[in-house]
Amino acid sequence: MLANYKLVIFDWDGTVMDSVARIVSSLEAAARLTGGLPELSGDELKQMIGLSLDKGYEFLYPGAPSEKLDEWKRHYGQQFRVDNDTPIDLYPSTFAFLETLKQRGHLLAVATGKSRPGLEKAIADTGTSAFFAATRTADETASKPDPLMINELLAQLGVEAKDAVMVGDTTHDMHLAQNAGVDAIGITWGVHDRTTLAAYHPVAIVDSLEALL
């Protein structure tokens, strides 16, 4: 199915990188250390993955004091980058998958809710920098589901919306694609299941990288 597209835009966490468990446990710790925030389940916390931290705070804690936001973000960053030792890595076979797409002549890009420093570290740690022609992070443009991320990637790479597809694991990714007027493909090994993703009418939902190829 990917042969139909010149540009393949990937979400990062939960799509390319198996980082959901570390994100959730870091969010749990950040809320506890900040204090005064509702105690949420792991499943509830997962629902913000893909959003910027600012948007995620509003999503998880509607009505929470805005003055707690910066402290919560600091705690989360310290947890995710330093204190939390939950393993993170590319999903199995992802490196070879990206290599195959690049060899087939696709342009590859990333649109993520991560910060620029966070994405740069993840790309460096996984040795995937050579695969991506362009990337956008939530701290340098609008957070999902605002279409600006994809619009900027299309403009930078000179690709029309009809020739691009967004690949992601959350409704935030599907909604982003809808807003930008590009096709979407849902994957089921991340945050949201097939039924949840299907509500946004992606062109396909797949259960493996092999199926995506």
Side-chain angles (χ1 to χ4, degrees):
M1 66 184 68
L2 291 181
N4 298 325
Y5 304 101
K6 179 178 180 181
L7 172 63
V8 184
I9 305 169
F10 291 95
D11 168 57
W12 190 265
D13 292 306
T15 299
V16 172
M17 178 163 272
D18 186 2
S19 50
V20 172
R22 184 184 287 194
I23 292 172
V24 169
S25 54
S26 296
L27 289 170
E28 289 172 338
R32 184 177 65 252
L33 292 166
T34 301
L37 297 174
E39 185 174 331
L40 301 177
S41 68
D43 189 59
E44 288 172 318
L45 292 169
K46 278 200 305 187
Q47 306 312 307
M48 71 141 280
I49 294 176
L51 300 175
S52 69
L53 285 179
D54 286 4
K55 283 275 190 183
Y57 183 81
E58 296 173 6
F59 181 87
L60 293 175
Y61 310 113
S66 57
E67 59 267 22
K68 288 185 176 289
L69 171 61
D70 287 342
E71 181 184 359
W72 176 79
K73 287 166 63 176
R74 284 196 302 272
H75 285 309
Y76 174 78
Q78 177 69 21
Q79 288 295 313
F80 187 85
R81 292 191 297 269
V82 181
D83 295 341
N84 193 329
D85 60 0
T86 304
I88 55 173
D89 202 351
L90 296 177
Y91 284 104
S93 303
T94 297
F95 193 94
F97 167 76
L98 295 172
E99 201 166 38
T100 298
L101 291 185
K102 189 77 179 289
Q103 290 171 349
R104 290 184 179 182
H106 294 283
L107 287 172
L108 308 181
V110 174
T112 178
K114 298 180 81 66
S115 67
R116 173 54 60 185
L119 179 63
E120 291 298 328
K121 183 178 188 307
I123 287 176
D125 288 349
T126 55
T128 53
S129 61
F131 295 131
F132 301 113
T135 60
R136 284 297 184 279
T137 61
D139 60 340
E140 63 190 7
T141 185
S143 176
K144 300 172 187 178
D146 189 294
L148 186 60
M149 265 189 193
I150 287 183
N151 291 341
E152 289 179 348
L153 289 169
L154 295 176
Q156 179 180 342
L157 298 173
V159 177
E160 295 183 34
K162 67 180 179 63
D163 296 320
V165 63
M166 177 75 201
V167 178
D169 67 309
T170 70
T171 58
H172 308 306
D173 302 316
M174 304 298 100
H175 196 184
L176 168 65
Q178 279 188 346
N179 288 343
V182 304
D183 286 347
I185 296 173
I187 59 93
T188 60
W189 55 83
V191 171
H192 286 141
D193 62 20
R194 178 176 290 271
T195 301
T196 304
L197 294 169
Y200 286 79
H201 307 292
V203 295
I205 301 173
V206 298
D207 301 318
S208 70
L209 290 174
E210 290 75 19
L212 192 54
L213 281 176

